[in-house]
Amino acid sequence: MSEIHHYLQEFDDAFDQVRHYQAYPRMRPFIGRLYGQYGPKILLVAESHYLPAGRSLHLDAQRWYAGSEKDFGTDDMPGWIHTRNIIDKPDGKWSARGHEIYRRMNRALNEAGYSGGGNLFRYVAFMNGFQRPAVSGKSLNVQREDIEVASQTLNGVVDIIEPDCLIFVSSKAKRHLAKHLEVESRGVPHPACAWWYRASKHETGKERFIHYLSENRSH
């Protein structure tokens, strides 16, 4: 019988104490079931989830953070903010057009030496930095509330899962949030953007990502 999930649930009692996850439990991080077992504990932090054009729950920052998942109707597409369900593909294949970020990171994890094929997110932890979704196809228009909640939530997750290395896979998220973290971080461009394959300061974003992963695995 194939495994049911690629993620752990052992941290969920602690995540449930994080204020934002009390309101939006679907946004809890994906913690790979082999997190830290075959090398350092790596936390990957992307930018944000998305909701389809035409939805309005997330357009006002104050309204979003004052609300909860109870405000969603089925037509509001709550599955679009379900971090674990999005990452937990049994074969490591993401077919949605907007999921190129996961396809590219999964290939890079393989090139960095994570073995076994399929869904290699099982070796790492993953979450988004900003806790309010953007409009599909657009980058989040960052507000003061976004930075406050993101900082609280990120630091809460770090305290719980104690990563050895935190890598932002979004230049925007790193620019806004890294200075508010209680730990050091690395950063690379968003894997779905042109800079993932375009050289900047002698390396592409993908090469830097693999370098950071490999550097930590060699320790």
Side-chain angles (χ1 to χ4, degrees), residues 59-91:
L59 298 183
D60 180 88
Q62 291 183 343
R63 179 189 178 194
W64 175 259
Y65 295 119
S68 73
E69 288 184 12
K70 295 177 182 178
D71 299 321
F72 274 84
T74 54
D75 290 341
D76 291 315
M77 307 297 286
W80 283 42
I81 65 166
H82 201 314
T83 307
R84 294 175 181 178
N85 278 6
I86 292 169
I87 299 293
D88 193 37
K89 303 300 182 189
D91 53 3

